[in-house]
Amino acid sequence: MAFNGPYKLVNWKVGDTEWTEVKNHSYWNAHHVQPKAIKYYTIKDPNTGLNLYDTNQMDRYQDISGDSARQLSNRHDFGTDLTSSTFYIEMNQKKLPYFKNAKLRQAISLTINRDELSNNVLGKTGTASHSIVPRDMTHHKTTGTDFVKEPSALADQQYTSYNPKKATKLWQEGLQETGQKELNLTMTTDDTDTAKKTSRILTKQF
């Protein structure tokens, strides 16, 4: 990544599932950078990654499955780190122009039980987000309040809370406004274990 000044990527090619970053001697604080090199692996199967970690073939493993997180939560080497990322659903309005109707999009949002999704898929290692901007990225310089606290609370009241009754009402209104009787939708997702489980739960909630 562009901001990883202490290290630089070497000999990486498109499609590689492993790569190495070496110490950047041009970095302003290079004499304090340890270790001299870091090797990364892309491992799609969480159980494979965990086995490699447990047999000391890797020093750190992240993105474990929710099932593993629940089983390993009491281990001394288990921990969670907040990341500045948000996962969301994007509607293909170009292919399906009726998704330009805000009520249809809001209805789908209101059918998602974010807490249940996080607990079941991530094993309580993630948090439900009510803003496209992740929390704890920046704070008001005077009050110290999280930048996203107020808009997140407003969004939760309007369309990111779990409210099937309101979702049904908005969906019916959206269908009527767009002249649709019913919609058959297809969801495209990543091929990771977490993404597959997420999509299965989302399709049930929809």
Side-chain angles (χ1 to χ4, degrees):
M1 297 183 182
F3 54 81
N4 284 349
Y7 295 92
K8 58 183 180 180
L9 188 64
V10 293
N11 300 324
W12 180 83
K13 300 184 297 295
V14 175
D16 283 354
T17 58
E18 58 183 69
W19 59 92
T20 301
E21 290 182 5
V22 298
K23 182 176 178 178
N24 181 6
H25 293 283
S26 299
Y27 181 59
W28 70 274
N29 200 22
H31 62 287
H32 282 147
V33 175
Q34 294 292 339
K36 294 183 178 180
I38 303 174
K39 191 160 188 177
Y40 292 84
Y41 298 89
T42 300
I43 302 171
K44 293 183 179 181
D45 181 15
N47 293 323
T48 300
L50 189 58
N51 289 335
L52 290 171
Y53 173 80
D54 283 336
T55 55
N56 296 317
Q57 297 181 61
M58 287 197 305
D59 300 303
R60 176 184 172 92
Y61 180 60
Q62 63 185 41
D63 293 333
I64 64 175
S65 68
D67 292 336
S68 295
R70 280 185 284 270
Q71 296 172 11
L72 304 174
S73 59
N74 293 324
R75 278 177 49 160
H76 72 280
D77 54 352
F78 177 85
T80 57
D81 296 316
L82 289 177
T83 59
S84 298
S85 59
T86 305
F87 292 85
Y88 60 93
I89 300 172
E90 183 176 3
M91 308 302 178
N92 190 340
Q93 297 184 28
K94 184 175 181 180
K95 182 178 180 181
L96 308 173
Y98 43 75
F99 271 133
K100 294 179 181 179
N101 184 282
K103 291 181 179 178
L104 292 178
R105 301 195 306 272
Q106 291 170 357
I108 289 178
S109 181
L110 289 165
T111 65
I112 301 173
N113 188 328
R114 288 162 173 77
D115 290 320
E116 180 184 323
L117 182 65
S118 176
N119 292 341
N120 288 344
V121 176
L122 302 177
K124 298 184 178 180
T125 60
T127 57
S129 178
H130 302 285
S131 169
I132 195 66
V133 180
R135 64 185 177 91
D136 291 329
M137 286 187 65
T138 185
H139 296 76
H140 192 282
K141 63 180 181 181
T142 303
T143 64
T145 304
D146 190 339
F147 172 75
V148 301
K149 183 176 181 180
E150 186 175 338
S152 292
L154 181 61
D156 188 31
Q157 293 174 10
Q158 293 182 338
Y159 54 84
T160 64
S161 59
Y162 177 57
N163 193 333
K165 184 176 180 180
K166 184 177 179 180
T168 300
K169 180 176 181 295
L170 287 171
W171 185 258
Q172 294 301 327
E173 291 177 357
L175 289 178
Q176 186 175 7
E177 291 175 6
T178 56
Q180 305 293 317
K181 291 185 178 180
E182 61 179 27
L183 299 178
N184 294 315
L185 307 177
T186 301
M187 177 181 289
T188 304
T189 186
D190 297 332
D191 62 351
T192 63
D193 181 72
T194 297
K196 291 175 181 177
K197 289 181 178 178
T198 300
S199 62
R200 283 197 292 267
I201 291 179
L202 285 175
T203 52
K204 290 180 180 178
Q205 291 183 354
F206 292 167

